[in-house]
Amino acid sequence: MSSGEKVSRRKYIVAAGAAVAAAVIGGAAYYLARPPPPAPPERPWERIEWNEPPMKERLTGLEVGSIPDHWIERFPTLKTYGGWEGIGAIDGYELPEGWEKAVEGVDKLRFLNYGGLPHDPATQMAMCKFEDLTGIKVEAREMEELTLWLKTVAIMTAKSDAIDFLHIGGAELMTHTVMSGWAVPVDFLWPPEVQELYSPLAKSLLYFNGHWWGSGMVSTKPFCLFWRIS
């Protein structure tokens, strides 16, 4: 190989290196000069001022009274709820500010309910009260526990719009739901003053991976834990 060939090859390498450098610098300059990407669209729940009025006051200011006739007309089993007197915590709750904007265009919400509604007066009353406050119809499909979970997995895996929110009871199912990417954090439901209302055990089931994943529950009757020895 002659010295002339060596010089030409060096020139070629230098020229190629300069071209690569120019391309990299040019690409970087373009990246820096282009406008920033648009902000992601505002999600519906981000339009709500969840702590206005204060959430603690809204959760603890419930009032007991006679169950309205139109609730009983929809769910006749409510007539005998509350010691045969048809009473329950039916009033006193206020919706947070901004809820009207968040639900624009929504006329119906659907979910899968664990168990039959005749045996679930709390859910019946919650559905009726939500409809009274918002005008949005709530539909529940009643299922036993195993079927509900299998149906939930099928719907979420298929990315179906058959339901609008999840009804998850077991802690292990909540973990599976979150780790599968099917849940949205609900940190906005848990300001410090609301956290004070619940026991450490209840909170431990809803908080992991640095986020809150479910809402608290107010029970109007005791729930008893039991174990099978078989």
Side-chain angles (χ1 to χ4, degrees):
M1 182 181 295
S2 67
S3 60
E5 289 177 331
K6 291 181 180 179
V7 171
S8 298
R9 185 168 296 177
R10 289 195 190 100
K11 288 182 178 180
Y12 173 78
I13 294 173
V14 171
V20 171
V24 171
I25 294 172
Y30 169 76
Y31 181 81
L32 294 174
R34 69 178 182 176
E42 186 180 36
R43 293 172 293 188
W45 57 88
E46 294 174 339
R47 302 171 184 173
I48 298 175
E49 296 292 338
W50 288 97
N51 213 28
E52 294 294 338
M55 194 178 300
K56 181 178 179 179
E57 295 178 10
R58 294 191 289 113
L59 291 176
T60 58
L62 301 182
E63 300 172 5
V64 174
S66 298
I67 296 175
D69 291 340
H70 65 285
W71 293 14
I72 296 174
E73 183 177 347
R74 181 176 181 186
F75 298 115
T77 51
L78 288 177
K79 185 175 183 178
T80 57
Y81 181 74
W84 302 96
E85 298 176 359
I87 61 173
I90 60 148
D91 215 344
Y93 181 78
E94 294 182 67
L95 292 171
E97 293 183 6
W99 72 268
E100 299 99 329
K101 185 178 180 182
V103 301
E104 287 178 353
V106 178
D107 57 11
K108 179 171 61 177
L109 293 174
R110 300 157 297 176
F111 73 102
L112 307 178
N113 188 67
Y114 170 30
L117 287 176
H119 307 287
D120 197 348
T123 299
Q124 291 176 334
M125 289 191 287
M127 292 169 64
C128 291
K129 186 62 178 180
F130 184 83
E131 292 178 5
D132 285 356
L133 289 172
T134 66
I136 297 173
K137 183 76 172 177
V138 182
E139 295 181 355
R141 183 173 179 182
E142 303 156 83
M143 294 187 170
E144 58 89 22
E145 186 173 17
L146 178 58
T147 303
L148 182 148
W149 175 241
L150 294 176
K151 188 70 173 179
T152 297
V153 171
I155 289 173
M156 299 308 295
T157 302
K159 299 182 179 180
S160 168
D161 62 355
I163 57 176
D164 300 296
F165 58 94
L166 302 180
H167 185 174
I168 304 296
E172 71 282 0
L173 302 184
M174 175 76 78
T175 303
H176 185 102
T177 300
V178 171
M179 300 308 291
S180 297
W182 300 337
V184 174
V186 289
D187 300 334
F188 46 81
L189 295 180
W190 291 94
E193 59 271 22
V194 170
Q195 296 179 35
E196 295 173 358
L197 299 176
Y198 296 90
S199 70
L201 178 58
K203 290 183 288 188
S204 70
L205 299 177
L206 298 173
Y207 183 85
F208 51 93
N209 282 8
H211 292 287
W212 294 94
W213 299 98
S215 62
M217 180 178 68
V218 178
S219 175
T220 57
K221 57 184 177 181
F223 284 85
C224 300
L225 298 176
F226 66 94
W227 290 265
R228 286 182 55 177
I229 59 174
S230 59

